[in-house]
């Protein structure tokens, strides 16, 4: 069992470092070929932060562990809002209000994220997410990506550096690390689920989801402490869109998944809507709301380990 925990931890570490290398190398290579930093931020960086979820979920779908695939997507989206974003706004409750001109963009991106969540919930009501749902998700993703790319031309993003030809090496190493890490994480999650008699979905929505959300957690908390949170908020919103539409869409093309409980679907919808007070409320209210989100997240995880949403 100790070996399983070590393997799982190594897998998470490879996922985090691999995504970081991929983002750094991909951004630098794109900049080298005169692609604007705004477009890089809207595509490569956003994709890179969702790369762990993508590889883990597709790996799980291919190996017949669709519970982990769905749990990872739902859990990552919940964690991004109720853990990562809530922790950031608790530390720095003025980070959204102080974001200036980019605040209007954050509101628009929130609406896009809510639209993606609504589409996911509507298809989940059918009880089964299949290739039809996956196709619709991918088409909707393309439409939203076009909107983000157009907006990206007008917005500033974080400074990006090119590392010369080493960027291609970073991309290759990053992809290898993520692929190997994903395999270790899925294998470890399955072993843990079997050893403790815990449903695969619960492992996916909790341990795996938190692990694949570590890149967003680390970078966003640091940004909040430095009072540079607007970019991180945008990345969190973009990551949730990528997870629901791209990651889950591709996974569903590989294998369908049965939705065992609509409670988990309702939870991801409620947490997604719960982001709205963070955008419009006063800083004093934002901190209190953030604390409630963190408490709600802890409660949901505790409840998950006592429930069996998907067999």
């Amino acid at each position: 069992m100790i070996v399983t925990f070590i393997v799982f931890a190594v897998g998470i570490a490879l996922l985090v470092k691999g995504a970081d290398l991929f983002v750094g190398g991909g951004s630098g290579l794109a900049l080298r070929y005169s692609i604007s930093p705004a477009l890089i931020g809207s595509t490569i960086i956003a994709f890179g932060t969702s790369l762990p979820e993508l590889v883990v979920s597709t790996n799980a779908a291919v190996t017949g562990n669709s519970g982990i695939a769905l749990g990872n997507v739902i859990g990552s989206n919940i964690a991004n809002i109720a853990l990562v974003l809530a922790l950031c706004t608790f530390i720095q409750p003025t980070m959204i209000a102080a974001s200036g001109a980019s605040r209007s963009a954050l509101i628009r991106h929130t609406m896009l994220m809510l639209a993606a969540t609504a589409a996911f919930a509507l298809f989940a009501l059918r009880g089964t997410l299949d290739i039809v749902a996956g196709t619709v998700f991918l088409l909707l993703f393309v439409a939203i990506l076009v909107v983000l790319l157009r907006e990206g031309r007008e917005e500033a993003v974080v400074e990006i550096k090119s590392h010369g030809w080493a960027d291609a090496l970073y991309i290759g190493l990053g992809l290898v690390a993520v692929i190997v890490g994903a395999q270790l994480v899925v294998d470890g999650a399955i072993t843990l689920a079997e050893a403790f008699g815990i449903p695969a979905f619960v492992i996916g929505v909790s341990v795996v989801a938190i692990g694949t959300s570590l890149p967003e957690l680390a970078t966003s908390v640091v940004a909040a402490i430095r009072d540079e949170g607007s970019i991180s908020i945008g990345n969190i919103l973009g990551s949730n869109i990528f997870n629901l539409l791209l990651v889950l869409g591709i996974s569903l093309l590989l294998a369908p998944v049965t939705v065992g409980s609509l409670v988990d679907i309702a939870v991801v919808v409620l947490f997604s809507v719960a982001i709205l007070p963070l955008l419009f409320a006063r800083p004093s209210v934002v901190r209190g709301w953030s604390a409630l989100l963190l408490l709600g997240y802890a409660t949901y995880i505790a409840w998950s380990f006592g429930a069996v949403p998907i067999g």
Side-chain angles (χ1 to χ4, degrees):
M1 186 56 62
I2 295 179
V3 174
T4 300
F5 278 109
I6 294 175
V7 169
F8 187 84
V10 170
I12 292 293
L14 286 174
L15 283 175
V16 174
K17 187 59 180 178
D20 180 59
L21 286 173
F22 178 86
V23 169
S27 301
L29 190 63
L31 190 64
R32 181 182 179 88
Y33 286 96
S34 302
I35 298 176
S36 73
L39 293 182
I40 294 171
S42 299
T43 54
I44 296 174
I45 293 178
F47 176 76
T49 55
S50 290
L51 190 59
E53 287 89 345
L54 175 62
V55 180
V56 167
S57 292
T58 53
N59 184 299
V62 169
T63 55
N65 296 287
S66 56
I68 293 178
L70 180 61
N72 182 34
V73 169
I74 292 179
S76 292
N77 276 31
I78 293 174
N80 281 346
I81 294 174
L83 176 62
V84 179
L85 184 57
L87 185 59
C88 290
T89 51
F90 182 81
I91 295 173
Q92 185 57 262
T94 62
M95 64 185 295
I96 296 179
S99 58
S102 62
R103 186 168 181 266
S104 61
L106 292 178
I107 294 175
R108 291 195 300 273
H109 293 176
T110 298
M111 296 303 107
L112 292 175
M113 186 268 292
L114 291 176
T117 304
F120 163 73
L122 287 174
F123 275 95
L125 289 175
R126 299 163 60 227
T128 301
L129 294 169
D130 52 17
I131 190 171
V132 175
T135 302
V136 173
F137 290 168
L138 291 175
L139 290 175
L140 184 56
F141 170 76
V142 172
I144 290 179
L145 184 61
V146 170
V147 174
L148 294 177
L149 289 176
R150 287 177 178 175
E151 288 189 0
R153 293 187 178 95
E154 304 173 358
E155 298 173 15
V157 294
V158 66
E159 180 184 356
I160 298 172
K161 297 180 180 179
S162 175
H163 309 91
W165 293 110
D167 288 321
L169 178 62
Y170 290 160
I171 292 174
L173 290 176
L175 286 174
V176 170
V178 167
I179 292 171
V180 174
Q183 184 64 53
L184 295 178
V185 167
V186 172
D187 290 345
I190 294 172
T191 302
L192 290 174
E194 293 175 347
F196 292 100
I198 300 172
F201 177 88
V202 175
I203 293 293
V205 83
S206 56
V207 181
V208 177
I210 293 174
T212 56
S213 293
L214 285 179
E216 290 93 339
L217 178 61
T219 58
S220 297
V221 169
V222 171
I225 294 174
R226 295 178 179 176
D227 201 16
E228 300 172 349
S230 61
I231 292 175
S232 292
I233 298 170
N235 285 344
I236 289 172
L237 295 173
S239 178
N240 276 19
I241 293 172
F242 270 67
N243 288 344
L244 282 177
L245 302 182
L246 179 64
V247 174
L248 188 57
I250 293 176
S251 298
L252 294 177
L253 295 184
L254 299 173
V257 58
T258 300
V259 180
S261 171
L262 294 180
V263 173
D264 299 285
I265 308 303
V267 169
V268 73
V269 171
L270 290 175
F271 273 121
S272 297
V273 174
I275 196 176
L276 294 176
L278 299 179
L279 295 174
F280 301 106
R282 299 188 307 273
S284 58
V285 177
V286 167
R287 174 162 283 166
W289 189 252
S290 300
L292 285 177
L293 286 176
L294 290 169
L295 179 61
Y297 181 72
T299 301
Y300 171 68
I301 294 300
W303 174 85
S304 294
F305 276 92
V308 185
I310 289 182

